[in-house]
Amino acid sequence: MKSLAIVIVLGLSAFSTDAVAQSWQPPSPSERCPSKWGAADERGSGNHMTPANVLRAAHLIKTGETFELSHVLGRDMPLNPGRQYDVHTKRTTGPFGANQRYSNEELIISEIGQVGTQFDGFTHQAIDRLLYNCIKMDEIATRNGFTNLGMEKVGTLMTRGVLIDIAALKGVDILPINYEINRFRAGAAEARPKPAAGGCCPYLHRLEQALGCRQ
């Protein structure tokens, strides 16, 4: 029993150390709610996506060059342990009509979260069972999904983006899973010499590998 108690104490001490090590704590509900866009808002910073800001972003385009930021869907893309992504293509019907039309379709077996490139919605994370705008998680969670904060609320995002390569700043390919990105480290990376005209913007390499990322 004595040795068990020692293990428990050491475990709690380690937990406390990890908690204290975080340099940022979220504001209390009274400080962060309601949102600046009102208590009923479900879009958050997406509200900045106004027609005027779309025009401002479009005017920044100089060369029309594009850069792929997402992973091609496939088995070799990043997957959380235990998750899968399988695509099976099938010949289905045909020929039809004078044009001899054939049809092909596919069967996809996969989770839709933590698979390749993804876009996390407001229901992905909660603080003490409170989601964005202090919406109570237990009140909107059902067996068929969430009744609020759906991805359809995000809308189209077309704006200027600044991509920062923290991994390059540290001289590594992938950041440690417990590496915390804060505004100071992001600022240091942004201050690095930029590529020549026409080059790619600094790219935040494998952000999903870094915990504690925030604005």
mmCIF file of all heavy atoms in Angstrom, residues 3 8 16 22 33 50 59 97-98 118 127 139 141 168 170 175-176 205-206 215:
data_model
loop_
_atom_site.group_PDB
_atom_site.id
_atom_site.type_symbol
_atom_site.label_atom_id
_atom_site.label_comp_id
_atom_site.label_asym_id
_atom_site.label_seq_id
_atom_site.Cartn_x
_atom_site.Cartn_y
_atom_site.Cartn_z
ATOM 1 N N SER A 3 3.912 1.574 -1.230
ATOM 2 C CA SER A 3 4.489 1.795 -2.553
ATOM 3 C C SER A 3 3.433 2.311 -3.523
ATOM 4 O O SER A 3 3.716 3.151 -4.380
ATOM 5 C CB SER A 3 5.104 0.502 -3.094
ATOM 6 O OG SER A 3 4.116 -0.513 -3.188
ATOM 7 N N ILE A 8 1.082 6.929 -6.679
ATOM 8 C CA ILE A 8 -0.017 7.873 -6.901
ATOM 9 C C ILE A 8 0.461 9.300 -6.695
ATOM 10 O O ILE A 8 0.163 10.201 -7.485
ATOM 11 C CB ILE A 8 -1.197 7.549 -5.959
ATOM 12 C CG1 ILE A 8 -1.823 6.208 -6.347
ATOM 13 C CG2 ILE A 8 -2.241 8.652 -6.016
ATOM 14 C CD1 ILE A 8 -2.901 5.755 -5.399
ATOM 15 N N SER A 16 0.647 17.708 -12.164
ATOM 16 C CA SER A 16 0.653 19.109 -11.757
ATOM 17 C C SER A 16 1.740 19.874 -12.480
ATOM 18 O O SER A 16 1.558 21.007 -12.908
ATOM 19 C CB SER A 16 0.867 19.214 -10.237
ATOM 20 O OG SER A 16 -0.182 18.567 -9.551
ATOM 21 N N GLN A 22 2.196 24.782 -18.958
ATOM 22 C CA GLN A 22 1.517 25.518 -20.009
ATOM 23 C C GLN A 22 1.556 27.008 -19.706
ATOM 24 O O GLN A 22 1.272 27.435 -18.595
ATOM 25 C CB GLN A 22 0.065 25.066 -20.126
ATOM 26 C CG GLN A 22 -0.088 23.683 -20.754
ATOM 27 C CD GLN A 22 -1.532 23.374 -21.056
ATOM 28 O OE1 GLN A 22 -2.434 23.936 -20.455
ATOM 29 N NE2 GLN A 22 -1.763 22.467 -21.987
ATOM 30 N N CYS A 33 -17.452 34.969 -22.920
ATOM 31 C CA CYS A 33 -18.812 34.835 -23.434
ATOM 32 C C CYS A 33 -19.682 35.994 -22.930
ATOM 33 O O CYS A 33 -19.504 36.435 -21.794
ATOM 34 C CB CYS A 33 -19.430 33.499 -23.001
ATOM 35 S SG CYS A 33 -18.485 32.058 -23.529
ATOM 36 N N THR A 50 -16.098 39.238 -44.894
ATOM 37 C CA THR A 50 -17.061 40.154 -45.511
ATOM 38 C C THR A 50 -16.720 40.342 -46.993
ATOM 39 O O THR A 50 -15.588 40.084 -47.413
ATOM 40 C CB THR A 50 -17.028 41.507 -44.809
ATOM 41 O OG1 THR A 50 -15.716 42.091 -44.984
ATOM 42 C CG2 THR A 50 -17.324 41.361 -43.323
ATOM 43 N N HIS A 59 -7.193 41.561 -54.410
ATOM 44 C CA HIS A 59 -6.282 42.566 -54.945
ATOM 45 C C HIS A 59 -4.823 42.261 -54.623
ATOM 46 O O HIS A 59 -3.909 42.847 -55.220
ATOM 47 C CB HIS A 59 -6.648 43.952 -54.394
ATOM 48 C CG HIS A 59 -7.929 44.478 -54.946
ATOM 49 N ND1 HIS A 59 -8.709 45.436 -54.306
ATOM 50 C CD2 HIS A 59 -8.599 44.180 -56.081
ATOM 51 C CE1 HIS A 59 -9.771 45.708 -55.030
ATOM 52 N NE2 HIS A 59 -9.733 44.954 -56.119
ATOM 53 N N GLY A 97 -27.700 3.566 -73.872
ATOM 54 C CA GLY A 97 -27.998 4.460 -74.981
ATOM 55 C C GLY A 97 -27.032 4.382 -76.144
ATOM 56 O O GLY A 97 -26.090 3.578 -76.185
ATOM 57 N N ALA A 98 -27.290 5.290 -77.081
ATOM 58 C CA ALA A 98 -26.489 5.322 -78.305
ATOM 59 C C ALA A 98 -25.048 5.729 -78.034
ATOM 60 O O ALA A 98 -24.139 5.373 -78.784
ATOM 61 C CB ALA A 98 -27.137 6.302 -79.300
ATOM 62 N N GLN A 118 -7.566 18.270 -42.500
ATOM 63 C CA GLN A 118 -8.923 18.418 -41.997
ATOM 64 C C GLN A 118 -9.167 19.851 -41.539
ATOM 65 O O GLN A 118 -8.248 20.641 -41.392
ATOM 66 C CB GLN A 118 -9.169 17.466 -40.824
ATOM 67 C CG GLN A 118 -8.272 17.772 -39.625
ATOM 68 C CD GLN A 118 -8.523 16.808 -38.491
ATOM 69 O OE1 GLN A 118 -8.499 15.596 -38.689
ATOM 70 N NE2 GLN A 118 -8.762 17.321 -37.305
ATOM 71 N N ILE A 127 -14.100 23.227 -23.339
ATOM 72 C CA ILE A 127 -13.447 23.530 -22.069
ATOM 73 C C ILE A 127 -14.484 23.357 -20.974
ATOM 74 O O ILE A 127 -15.476 24.094 -20.925
ATOM 75 C CB ILE A 127 -12.875 24.961 -22.053
ATOM 76 C CG1 ILE A 127 -11.832 25.123 -23.161
ATOM 77 C CG2 ILE A 127 -12.255 25.282 -20.689
ATOM 78 C CD1 ILE A 127 -11.301 26.539 -23.290
ATOM 79 N N GLU A 139 -26.070 19.866 -24.266
ATOM 80 C CA GLU A 139 -27.384 20.281 -24.755
ATOM 81 C C GLU A 139 -27.510 20.168 -26.269
ATOM 82 O O GLU A 139 -28.625 20.187 -26.797
ATOM 83 C CB GLU A 139 -27.670 21.722 -24.310
ATOM 84 C CG GLU A 139 -27.870 21.876 -22.807
ATOM 85 C CD GLU A 139 -28.266 23.293 -22.419
ATOM 86 O OE1 GLU A 139 -28.312 24.159 -23.334
ATOM 87 O OE2 GLU A 139 -28.515 23.534 -21.233
ATOM 88 N N ALA A 141 -25.400 17.838 -28.158
ATOM 89 C CA ALA A 141 -24.870 16.561 -28.635
ATOM 90 C C ALA A 141 -25.978 15.519 -28.686
ATOM 91 O O ALA A 141 -26.708 15.315 -27.709
ATOM 92 C CB ALA A 141 -23.745 16.089 -27.722
ATOM 93 N N ALA A 168 11.041 24.897 -39.564
ATOM 94 C CA ALA A 168 12.270 25.382 -40.192
ATOM 95 C C ALA A 168 13.046 26.276 -39.242
ATOM 96 O O ALA A 168 14.286 26.262 -39.215
ATOM 97 C CB ALA A 168 11.934 26.148 -41.475
ATOM 98 N N LYS A 170 13.256 25.907 -36.107
ATOM 99 C CA LYS A 170 13.918 25.026 -35.156
ATOM 100 C C LYS A 170 14.881 24.062 -35.829
ATOM 101 O O LYS A 170 15.597 23.310 -35.158
ATOM 102 C CB LYS A 170 12.883 24.235 -34.357
ATOM 103 C CG LYS A 170 11.868 25.085 -33.609
ATOM 104 C CD LYS A 170 12.536 25.949 -32.558
ATOM 105 C CE LYS A 170 13.118 25.127 -31.435
ATOM 106 N NZ LYS A 170 13.708 25.977 -30.371
ATOM 107 N N LEU A 175 7.797 19.040 -35.552
ATOM 108 C CA LEU A 175 7.903 19.517 -34.177
ATOM 109 C C LEU A 175 7.524 18.421 -33.194
ATOM 110 O O LEU A 175 6.681 17.581 -33.496
ATOM 111 C CB LEU A 175 6.989 20.724 -33.970
ATOM 112 C CG LEU A 175 7.326 21.971 -34.794
ATOM 113 C CD1 LEU A 175 6.194 22.985 -34.677
ATOM 114 C CD2 LEU A 175 8.639 22.584 -34.340
ATOM 115 N N PRO A 176 8.132 18.427 -32.015
ATOM 116 C CA PRO A 176 7.714 17.466 -30.980
ATOM 117 C C PRO A 176 6.231 17.656 -30.661
ATOM 118 O O PRO A 176 5.696 18.768 -30.761
ATOM 119 C CB PRO A 176 8.591 17.826 -29.777
ATOM 120 C CG PRO A 176 9.765 18.550 -30.357
ATOM 121 C CD PRO A 176 9.246 19.281 -31.554
ATOM 122 N N HIS A 205 4.787 23.783 -40.993
ATOM 123 C CA HIS A 205 4.977 22.367 -41.315
ATOM 124 C C HIS A 205 4.333 21.463 -40.273
ATOM 125 O O HIS A 205 4.658 21.509 -39.105
ATOM 126 C CB HIS A 205 6.478 22.092 -41.404
ATOM 127 C CG HIS A 205 6.816 20.729 -41.898
ATOM 128 N ND1 HIS A 205 6.685 20.369 -43.213
ATOM 129 C CD2 HIS A 205 7.268 19.638 -41.242
ATOM 130 C CE1 HIS A 205 7.063 19.112 -43.350
ATOM 131 N NE2 HIS A 205 7.418 18.642 -42.173
ATOM 132 N N ARG A 206 3.380 20.653 -40.746
ATOM 133 C CA ARG A 206 2.752 19.643 -39.914
ATOM 134 C C ARG A 206 2.225 20.214 -38.602
ATOM 135 O O ARG A 206 2.598 19.783 -37.499
ATOM 136 C CB ARG A 206 3.739 18.507 -39.640
ATOM 137 C CG ARG A 206 4.131 17.712 -40.855
ATOM 138 C CD ARG A 206 2.950 17.020 -41.497
ATOM 139 N NE ARG A 206 2.371 16.036 -40.597
ATOM 140 C CZ ARG A 206 2.837 14.796 -40.477
ATOM 141 N NH1 ARG A 206 3.854 14.397 -41.171
ATOM 142 N NH2 ARG A 206 2.240 13.960 -39.656
ATOM 143 N N GLN A 215 -3.724 31.679 -31.646
ATOM 144 C CA GLN A 215 -3.381 32.991 -32.190
ATOM 145 C C GLN A 215 -2.749 33.838 -31.115
ATOM 146 O O GLN A 215 -3.055 33.726 -29.948
ATOM 147 C CB GLN A 215 -4.633 33.683 -32.702
ATOM 148 C CG GLN A 215 -5.228 32.986 -33.914
ATOM 149 C CD GLN A 215 -6.426 33.708 -34.459
ATOM 150 O OE1 GLN A 215 -6.944 34.623 -33.817
ATOM 151 N NE2 GLN A 215 -6.883 33.322 -35.620
#
